[in-house]
């Protein structure tokens, strides 16, 4: 029996590696598209060695946090100097993993990863996520009214340090599924569904206060089923690890939210979130939103980038809010909210802006097997259109995680598969997918016009959109 189990596991690992390498090589051969700035070559330089804190963590010891770019003024963490942020010219980032063919064969992981980094709390695997008592009525009202809310101080210093450490570990030990994003040059490092392959991110989502905040914020009035039940349920649809946006994303809505309606037809079944690991730099990297834009009637479910002069978007274009989150803060928003983020104009150098974001399914969400490429839905599950979204591939994290779903992830059963890859490839010729890619094409062909139209909205609004509007 043991021999059969090991054989099955070995076959699964070989199949996963073959699938991962095949897709990555295809994506490496495809040119990256960027409509927003002059492309810069992707560096093939290895990242630096671990910081002292990470080396100590790998040895099983925990030292006070002095990892890379410490940000907020917390005990054991020193703030970055102004000099560190002042770039006079393009500077090579320290967060780009190498992407040569030999690197793909020898330096990238193709399966499960278990960072040797101590967990920041003692815990029982069956315990609920850590509570957070800072949610107020104003937070709930702001999310319901504006479609976005900034929640400060969600993570204490030990959680920030842990999230930074597993992020740096991930960069130093890149997973093959990060290759498409790294090749694109949009971010120094970007990886979707990191929780499926990296145990550190999975445990963070199971036990940190992030799940508690999402569960409480579901009480904003958008999800009546949970309100009637007396509590809300939160499941991971997809996560996204993002390190240093290089070229930025202009005005857009998020549409890679997993198999959910995300507010386009039927009931709303999702929330978007960010949890930040670094203070926002002074001059760039800040997320910017159009208040109340989740109420727009123009942007379809499969569109990504938008022109603020089209349809009813001018109604929202004057009400801009720019958030400048600090390490440990969260931003939560409606999936239809229009927003953007600017990259570093002269490169990031040693400065970092690390974020773990994603989409969570709320309450009684149903599986929406859309006919478009869903990079977050490539697992070997048997869910069909309209089935309850209750599966180890979309695990519950609030009120607390499920032991059977955790065990399935630990066994390596959760993640991308040939079946899921085939399902995604089979959707590429669908009408929905053409709409999605036409959104990119429209932006590419009108890049100059859109830049002229959209860029003035922050600078021309006077005090509007500055920190003075950055409420809870």
């Amino acid at each position: 029996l043991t021999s059969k189990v090991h054989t099955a596991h070995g076959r699964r690992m070989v199949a996963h590696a073959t699938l991962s390498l095949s897709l990555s090589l295809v994506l490496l051969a495809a040119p990256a598209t960027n409509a927003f700035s002059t492309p810069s070559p992707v560096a093939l330089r290895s990242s630096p060695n671990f910081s002292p804190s990470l080396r100590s963590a790998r040895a099983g010891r925990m030292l006070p946090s002095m990892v890379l770019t410490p940000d907020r003024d917390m005990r054991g963490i020193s703030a970055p100097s102004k000099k560190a942020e002042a770039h006079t010219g393009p500077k090579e980032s320290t967060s780009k993993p190498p992407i040569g063919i030999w690197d793909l064969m020898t330096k990238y992981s193709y399966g499960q990863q278990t960072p040797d980094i101590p967990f920041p709390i003692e815990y029982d695997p069956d315990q609920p996520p850590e509570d957070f008592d800072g949610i107020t009525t104003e937070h709930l009202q702001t999310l319901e009214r504006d479609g976005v809310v900034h929640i400060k101080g969600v993570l204490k210093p030990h959680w920030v340090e842990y999230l930074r450490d597993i992020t740096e570990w991930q960069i130093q030990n890149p997973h093959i599924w990060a290759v498409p994003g790294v090749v694109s040059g949009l971010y120094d490092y970007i990886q979707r569904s990191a929780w499926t392959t990296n145990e550190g991110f999975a445990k963070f989502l199971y036990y940190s206060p992030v799940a508690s905040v999402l569960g409480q914020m579901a009480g904003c009035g958008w999800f009546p089923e949970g309100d009637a039940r007396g509590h809300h349920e939160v499941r991971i649809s997809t996560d996204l690890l993002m390190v240093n946006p290089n070229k930025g994303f202009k005005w857009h809505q998020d549409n890679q939210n997993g198999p959910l309606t995300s507010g386009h037809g039927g009931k709303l079944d999702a929330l978007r979130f960010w949890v930040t690991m670094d203070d926002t730099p002074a001059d760039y990297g800040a997320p910017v939103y159009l208040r109340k834009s989740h109420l727009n009637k123009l942007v379809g479910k499969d569109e990504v980038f938008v022109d603020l002069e089209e349809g009813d978007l001018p109604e929202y274009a004057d009400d801009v809010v720019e958030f400048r989150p600090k390490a440990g803060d969260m931003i939560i928003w409606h999936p239809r909210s229009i927003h953007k983020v600017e990259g570093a104009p002269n490169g990031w150098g040693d400065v970092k802006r690390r974020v773990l974001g994603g989409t969570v399914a709320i309450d009684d969400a149903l599986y929406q097997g859309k006919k478009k490429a869903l990079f977050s839905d490539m697992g070997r599950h048997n869910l069909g259109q309209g089935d309850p979204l209750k599966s180890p591939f979309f695990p519950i994290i609030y009120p607390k995680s499920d032991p059977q779903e955790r065990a399935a992830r630990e066994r390596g059963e959760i993640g991308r598969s040939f079946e899921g890859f085939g399902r995604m490839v089979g959707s590429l010729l669908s009408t929905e997918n053409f709409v999605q890619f036409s959104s990119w094409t429209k932006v590419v062909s009108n890049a100059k016009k859109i830049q002229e139209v959209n860029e003035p909205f922050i600078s021309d609004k006077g005090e509007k959109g500055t920190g003075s509007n950055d409420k809870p």
Side-chain angles (χ1 to χ4, degrees):
L1 177 61
T2 302
S3 176
K4 290 181 179 180
V5 170
H6 284 301
T7 300
H9 180 70
R11 288 174 179 170
R12 187 163 58 244
M13 290 294 292
V14 170
H16 182 71
T18 303
L19 168 62
S20 303
L21 182 58
S22 299
L23 180 57
S24 298
L25 291 175
V26 169
L27 290 164
L28 272 172
T33 300
N34 191 292
F36 320 115
S37 61
T38 303
S40 57
V42 179
L44 302 181
R45 187 175 302 174
S46 299
S47 300
N49 293 329
F50 284 119
S51 66
S53 175
L54 283 171
R55 286 196 296 271
S56 299
R58 294 195 70 180
R61 303 188 300 275
M62 182 61 71
L63 295 179
S65 175
M66 298 295 291
V67 181
L68 294 169
T69 56
D71 31 58
R72 69 177 9 182
D73 187 16
M74 298 183 292
R75 184 170 56 186
I77 300 180
S78 56
S81 66
K82 297 294 183 181
K83 182 178 180 181
E85 292 187 8
H87 300 326
T88 57
K91 295 188 68 175
E92 185 64 37
S93 171
T94 60
S95 298
K96 291 181 181 178
I99 54 172
I101 298 298
W102 181 247
D103 298 314
L104 295 180
M105 301 293 294
T106 60
K107 297 182 180 179
Y108 281 71
S109 173
Y110 289 78
Q112 298 293 100
Q113 295 179 298
T114 305
D116 185 16
I117 294 175
F119 202 58
I121 61 170
E122 294 184 2
Y123 71 100
D124 181 326
D126 291 324
Q127 76 182 39
E130 187 174 298
D131 193 23
F132 179 73
D133 60 4
I135 298 301
T136 66
T137 300
E138 188 174 2
H139 286 123
L140 296 169
Q141 292 174 345
T142 299
L143 179 60
E144 183 181 26
R145 180 187 66 246
D146 296 344
V148 60
V149 65
H150 177 194
I151 304 171
K152 301 176 181 179
V154 171
L155 298 184
K156 295 179 180 178
H158 59 275
W159 281 114
V160 174
E161 179 178 1
Y162 174 75
L163 191 54
R164 288 174 177 169
D165 281 357
I166 58 175
T167 296
E168 294 305 315
W169 187 97
Q170 185 68 82
I171 295 170
Q172 299 290 338
N173 299 269
H175 198 276
I176 197 65
W177 290 113
V179 171
V182 174
V183 170
S184 76
L186 294 176
Y187 287 81
D188 284 352
Y189 190 90
I190 182 169
Q191 181 179 335
R192 186 173 293 281
S193 298
W195 75 270
T196 65
T197 56
N198 187 316
E199 182 184 46
F201 290 110
K203 290 171 66 176
F204 175 82
L205 291 171
Y206 294 153
Y207 304 116
S208 79
V210 167
S212 294
V213 169
L214 290 165
Q216 293 179 72
M217 291 307 300
C220 68
W222 290 342
F223 306 100
E225 293 170 335
D227 292 341
R229 186 167 49 230
H231 73 276
H232 295 274
E233 294 184 357
V234 179
R235 289 182 171 270
I236 302 171
S237 179
T238 181
D239 69 6
L240 190 62
L241 177 64
M242 299 167 280
V243 179
N244 295 353
N246 289 311
K247 303 169 185 177
F249 273 79
K250 297 300 181 184
W251 295 111
H252 67 282
Q253 75 167 356
D254 301 307
N255 81 332
Q256 280 291 331
N257 295 311
L260 302 167
T261 69
S262 300
H264 289 281
K267 63 180 182 180
L268 177 63
D269 54 7
L271 286 174
R272 293 281 299 172
F273 73 93
W274 265 24
V275 57
T276 56
M277 302 175 228
D278 305 280
D279 285 4
T280 305
D283 301 317
Y284 49 85
V288 183
Y289 290 78
L290 301 184
R291 285 193 182 98
K292 301 182 177 64
S293 59
H294 63 292
L295 302 173
N296 80 82
K297 304 294 191 297
L298 165 72
V299 184
K301 61 185 176 66
D302 300 308
E303 293 187 75
V304 184
F305 293 96
V306 300
D307 184 336
L308 298 191
E309 287 189 326
E310 292 186 352
D312 59 351
L313 292 183
E315 298 176 20
Y316 311 101
D318 287 340
D319 198 356
V320 180
V321 58
E322 178 183 89
F323 296 112
R324 308 203 72 82
K326 295 182 178 294
D329 292 357
M330 285 187 70
I331 298 176
I332 298 177
W333 67 96
H334 191 291
R336 296 194 62 194
S337 291
I338 305 300
H339 57 287
K340 71 171 183 174
V341 63
E342 299 292 351
N346 295 309
W348 288 90
D350 294 329
V351 177
K352 295 189 185 291
R353 201 221 64 181
R354 295 161 289 189
V355 170
L356 181 65
T359 305
V360 289
I362 304 297
D363 294 335
D364 301 329
L366 304 178
Y367 181 80
Q368 304 294 322
K370 297 178 181 178
K371 298 178 181 179
K372 73 172 186 177
L374 289 173
F375 298 103
S376 56
D377 183 26
M378 293 172 59
R380 191 189 294 109
H381 59 71
N382 58 0
L383 293 175
Q385 179 71 18
D387 287 347
L389 195 75
K390 298 183 184 298
S391 164
F393 289 85
F394 308 98
I396 190 168
I397 57 173
Y398 186 85
K400 67 176 184 177
S401 59
D402 179 87
Q404 294 183 346
E405 293 179 346
R406 296 196 307 267
R409 198 212 69 83
E410 292 170 3
R411 293 192 298 267
E413 298 173 0
I414 307 303
R416 293 169 169 92
S417 65
F418 278 109
E419 292 91 332
F421 181 62
R423 185 170 63 243
M424 186 196 72
V425 171
S427 72
L428 290 177
L429 297 180
S430 69
T431 301
E432 289 86 348
N433 217 47
F434 277 122
V435 171
Q436 178 181 351
F437 286 115
S438 70
S439 175
W440 282 87
T441 304
K442 180 174 67 174
V443 173
V444 171
S445 62
N446 293 286
K448 183 176 180 181
K449 174 185 174 184
I450 289 178
Q451 183 174 6
E452 292 172 350
V453 169
N454 292 345
E455 282 302 317
F457 281 107
I458 294 299
S459 59
D460 290 352
K461 300 306 175 185
E463 293 300 316
K464 189 173 290 187
T466 66
S468 62
N469 284 332
D470 190 357
K471 290 185 179 179

